[in-house]
Amino acid sequence: MRLCRHLFALALILSSWPVIAVAGEKQQDYDIDLIVTMSGRCSTLKIAGRDLACRAVKYFHSRAGRGYFTIAIDDATDNGHIVSFSGENARREGDNVFELAIDQMLLNSKDRPKVDGLRVPLVEPSSGACRQIGILATGKISKVSCVAADKNGKKYELQFDSDNQPVKMQRISQAPLLPEKRRARLRELYDCRRKAVTANVMPRDAASYIIQCLEESGQKPAADDQQ
């Protein structure tokens, strides 16, 4: 089952959450239509044999149907150290298990080349899966486990454990004007989309480029997005 089908069920859940909106602009395809920020710790994060620490874990969904479990790595020497487990196909088991089949690892660091000022991640064809445990209707995700290996045999592993705080969810859609803080975050997203267009980023790479742009700009859901 594709992720877009999974989001049909999410639409009812998310209907009570705030919507990031735009007005007074031309209709835009913002590529990313859902951002879920999780609170907790990474008990395990292994990237190609290296044991690392994380500072943030988010789930992104693109309008094309691709999902990304994205980890910002706690690296004092590299503020661009970000990895994503990515795939297009997902399935659910009951109400509280969501599994995403992984077909790509996106690897970014300060050593990656830049396009229009932003680093472009290395895309490694991979196989594996991410398994999310929790019930979104309550805003609670207890853990996320990911295991994948790329075509060169390098392995990637994540074990994220929630601190029992509700996740923060943002939908991106067209709607009337909202408070300035939310409009400011939408402008960040629009700026990232514009940079991708200016840099002639291929459509298949646009979402990962925009995710990197948002992470490097420090985009975070504000407190008023939680209720």
Side-chain angles (χ1 to χ4, degrees), residues 81-100:
H81 204 174
I82 299 168
V83 301
S84 293
F85 293 81
S86 179
E88 291 185 308
N89 297 311
R91 66 187 183 93
R92 297 178 62 191
E93 295 179 9
D95 293 329
N96 69 334
V97 178
F98 169 71
E99 188 170 287
L100 176 67

Side-chain angles (χ1 to χ4, degrees), residues 102-121:
I102 301 304
D103 59 24
Q104 293 180 350
M105 290 297 303
L106 307 181
L107 311 175
N108 222 326
S109 72
K110 66 180 181 181
D111 299 322
R112 292 294 302 159
K114 291 185 176 182
V115 175
D116 195 29
L118 287 173
R119 296 177 183 88
V120 178

Side-chain angles (χ1 to χ4, degrees), residues 92 95 104 123 127 142 150 157 173 183 194 205 220:
R92 297 178 62 191
D95 293 329
Q104 293 180 350
V123 179
S127 60
S142 61
D150 66 25
E157 184 178 354
S173 70
R183 300 207 322 263
R194 178 181 52 78
D205 300 323
K220 298 178 181 178

Side-chain angles (χ1 to χ4, degrees), residues 8 12 24 32 54 76 107 133 136 139 150 171 178 182 197 223:
F8 177 78
L12 295 178
I32 301 300
C54 71
L107 311 175
I133 309 298
L136 282 176
D150 66 25
R171 283 194 300 159
L178 290 176
R182 296 178 194 168
V197 172

Side-chain angles (χ1 to χ4, degrees), residues 32-204:
I32 301 300
D33 61 6
L34 175 66
I35 304 172
V36 180
T37 301
M38 307 175 197
S39 179
R41 61 183 291 270
C42 297
S43 55
T44 301
L45 179 59
K46 294 183 179 181
I47 306 298
R50 296 179 60 196
D51 288 310
L52 300 166
C54 71
R55 57 182 172 83
V57 175
K58 296 182 182 181
Y59 174 77
F60 294 85
H61 182 267
S62 77
R63 295 186 185 281
R66 178 166 287 273
Y68 305 80
F69 282 100
T70 298
I71 304 99
I73 295 173
D74 189 3
D75 188 341
T77 66
D78 187 352
N79 62 4
H81 204 174
I82 299 168
V83 301
S84 293
F85 293 81
S86 179
E88 291 185 308
N89 297 311
R91 66 187 183 93
R92 297 178 62 191
E93 295 179 9
D95 293 329
N96 69 334
V97 178
F98 169 71
E99 188 170 287
L100 176 67
I102 301 304
D103 59 24
Q104 293 180 350
M105 290 297 303
L106 307 181
L107 311 175
N108 222 326
S109 72
K110 66 180 181 181
D111 299 322
R112 292 294 302 159
K114 291 185 176 182
V115 175
D116 195 29
L118 287 173
R119 296 177 183 88
V120 178
L122 173 66
V123 179
E124 290 282 11
S126 305
S127 60
C130 285
R131 188 177 178 88
Q132 176 183 285
I133 309 298
I135 302 176
L136 282 176
T138 64
K140 295 292 184 67
I141 299 298
S142 61
K143 64 178 57 182
V144 176
S145 302
C146 297
V147 177
D150 66 25
K151 62 181 180 180
N152 298 313
K154 293 181 179 179
K155 297 182 179 179
Y156 308 88
E157 184 178 354
L158 168 70
Q159 178 66 50
F160 172 81
D161 300 304
S162 170
D163 59 8
N164 295 318
Q165 295 298 311
V167 300
K168 301 173 184 177
M169 288 187 273
Q170 297 172 285
R171 283 194 300 159
I172 315 300
S173 70
Q174 307 292 329
L177 285 174
L178 290 176
E180 179 58 28
K181 286 184 179 179
R182 296 178 194 168
R183 300 207 322 263
R185 288 195 295 280
L186 183 63
R187 285 195 294 270
E188 290 179 359
L189 183 61
Y190 176 79
D191 287 343
C192 289
R193 169 63 177 167
R194 178 181 52 78
K195 288 180 180 180
V197 172
T198 301
N200 294 319
V201 175
M202 296 291 291
R204 69 173 183 271

